[in-house]
Amino acid sequence: MLVMRPAQMADLGEVQRLAADSPIGVTSLPDDTERLRDKIAASEASFAAEVSFNGEESYFFVLEDSTSGKLVGCSAIVASAGYSEPFYSFRNETFVHASRELKIHNKIHVLSQCHDLTGNSLLTSFYVVPELVGSSWSELNSRGRLLFVASHPERFADSVVTEIVGYSDENGDSPFWDAIGRNFFDLNYAEAERLCGLKSRTFLAELMPHYPIYVPLLPDAAQEAMGQVHPRAQITFDILMREGFETDHYIDIFDGGPTLHARVSGIRSIAQSRVVPVKLGELSKGGRQYLVANGQLQDYRAVLLELDWAPGKPVTLDLEAAEALGVGEGASVRLVAV
């Protein structure tokens, strides 16, 4: 059985194995031992802290095969984007250029650097091994953290954002970066993203142009790359769009990938999830798939189960599922259909 749980320092080696295979652009999952150690330590401290509002906390989850002990995925939530440093994005805007005398009225697409999304909670660090891409386990790896938000709303903002890795070719070149960022740094896209992962995105973002960029002046390839998703990031994009996230307003300042945004109250896994009591017994065959979470904090667990459950009724779990979730008869779990 695959179980989602908080990462522990003992997972460091396995997490680095996952990070080594993650796509260029996932700077929140760097292939660097010290950075990953710091990430896990910050997460452990966040889970242990008493929190009444969203601040500098970050919560890092792993997806573990309980039989082999191997990790097959990971994901994270930052409680407040830009808490310790600005969270930069490009905002899509329209400027109007008009001449009354010439009777010309033009609307022009521009990109303006901003930190509008600072303070929102941020989904980061999503990765699943290739054989699980497109499976229901990907749903667990992504949406399991949303069930955590539903169970602990005081720890998060009213809105959630996430940056999706943008388009780059098989050589790791990004047309959007080459048209804008490379003019300010003598680095290719892969080197720039690696540097961001090892240090911080902020110091590069601060050297990017602060004046509006007129999109029609960019090369065609850069314009076409705006809002495009890297093939390896398509799965997380699709899951979150089904969850009710929206795009079009913001893009990443480095690769032009879409930045998704949603109010917590409108996210499907949160709005449609239900807290129900547990009854121990045999799992019924022929039910539908549900994501099930125990709603706890440091001992948080989430699994994927096939259940024959009816709203308003207790949910029947067998001993294996109950043990995986760390719950017993009469306890409560939060569930939502896949």
Side-chain angles (χ1 to χ4, degrees):
M1 179 178 286
L2 300 188
V3 181
M4 185 184 204
R5 60 168 176 80
Q8 303 165 353
M9 198 57 72
D11 298 321
L12 180 60
E14 282 283 283
V15 169
Q16 187 159 8
R17 176 179 59 81
L18 300 180
D21 189 49
S22 64
I24 296 171
V26 185
T27 55
S28 55
L29 198 61
D31 182 15
D32 180 82
T33 303
E34 290 308 310
R35 290 282 288 183
L36 292 173
R37 180 179 283 113
D38 290 347
K39 185 180 184 73
I40 295 172
S43 175
E44 288 182 323
S46 298
F47 278 106
E50 291 187 14
V51 174
S52 56
F53 61 91
N54 62 306
E56 61 183 340
E57 301 81 29
S58 59
Y59 306 90
F60 187 36
F61 303 91
V62 293
L63 192 60
E64 180 184 35
D65 185 330
S66 59
T67 303
S68 66
K70 292 196 67 168
L71 300 187
V72 294
C74 60
S75 60
I77 319 170
V78 175
S80 186
Y83 187 86
S84 57
E85 55 189 24
F87 182 74
Y88 287 104
S89 303
F90 274 143
R91 181 176 57 237
N92 284 305
E93 295 184 317
T94 300
F95 281 6
V96 176
H97 287 230
S99 169
R100 198 178 292 175
E101 186 173 339
L102 298 176
K103 297 181 179 178
I104 293 175
H105 185 94
N106 286 332
K107 292 182 178 180
I108 300 175
H109 183 187
V110 301
L111 300 175
S112 298
Q113 191 182 111
C114 69
H115 42 85
D116 296 355
L117 301 177
T118 294
N120 290 286
S121 294
L122 177 69
L123 302 180
T124 69
S125 309
F126 177 90
Y127 175 81
V128 290
V129 295
E131 53 267 33
L132 296 186
V133 171
S135 71
S136 297
W137 303 112
S138 294
E139 301 269 345
L140 172 62
N141 193 48
S142 180
R143 296 169 61 192
R145 55 191 166 169
L146 297 176
L147 293 180
F148 182 79
V149 174
S151 296
H152 303 281
E154 73 283 356
R155 292 177 173 261
F156 301 97
D158 293 333
S159 296
V160 180
V161 299
T162 187
E163 295 178 310
I164 305 295
V165 179
Y167 172 77
S168 59
D169 63 22
E170 59 276 6
N171 298 317
D173 293 323
S174 162
F176 189 82
W177 169 261
D178 289 342
I180 299 176
R182 194 155 189 171
N183 292 304
F184 297 86
F185 314 94
D186 189 21
L187 297 171
N188 63 31
Y189 171 65
E191 291 168 337
E193 290 287 21
R194 180 178 176 277
L195 194 59
C196 289
L198 294 177
K199 297 186 180 293
S200 163
R201 301 193 77 189
T202 301
F203 80 96
L204 283 184
E206 288 174 342
L207 296 175
M208 294 284 277
H210 291 269
Y211 294 100
I213 296 169
Y214 282 71
V215 173
L217 298 179
L218 298 178
D220 289 345
Q223 293 186 46
E224 291 169 4
M226 289 171 51
Q228 295 300 306
V229 178
H230 191 284
R232 293 188 64 187
Q234 190 67 49
I235 179 62
T236 187
F237 178 83
D238 291 344
I239 290 171
L240 294 177
M241 289 298 284
R242 290 195 295 270
E243 284 291 297
F245 281 72
E246 297 178 353
T247 183
D248 294 337
H249 299 298
Y250 300 93
I251 62 173
D252 183 87
I253 63 172
F254 292 152
D255 59 26
T259 297
L260 306 186
H261 178 271
R263 298 281 297 176
V264 166
S265 59
I267 296 174
R268 177 174 169 249
S269 287
I270 295 173
Q272 298 183 10
S273 64
R274 296 291 178 265
V275 176
V276 299
V278 170
K279 180 179 166 184
L280 295 182
E282 292 296 319
L283 287 179
S284 301
K285 301 296 183 183
R288 63 183 299 188
Q289 288 187 316
Y290 285 86
L291 304 177
V292 186
N294 64 9
Q296 297 177 30
L297 189 57
Q298 289 174 277
D299 293 323
Y300 181 76
R301 299 291 186 273
V303 297
L304 175 69
L305 298 173
E306 191 173 286
L307 302 171
D308 183 17
W309 173 73
K313 302 287 187 181
V315 60
T316 301
L317 302 180
D318 64 11
L319 196 57
E320 181 188 15
E323 288 181 349
L325 287 165
V327 297
E329 182 97 28
S332 293
V333 293
R334 182 180 293 274
L335 54 79
V336 67
V338 171

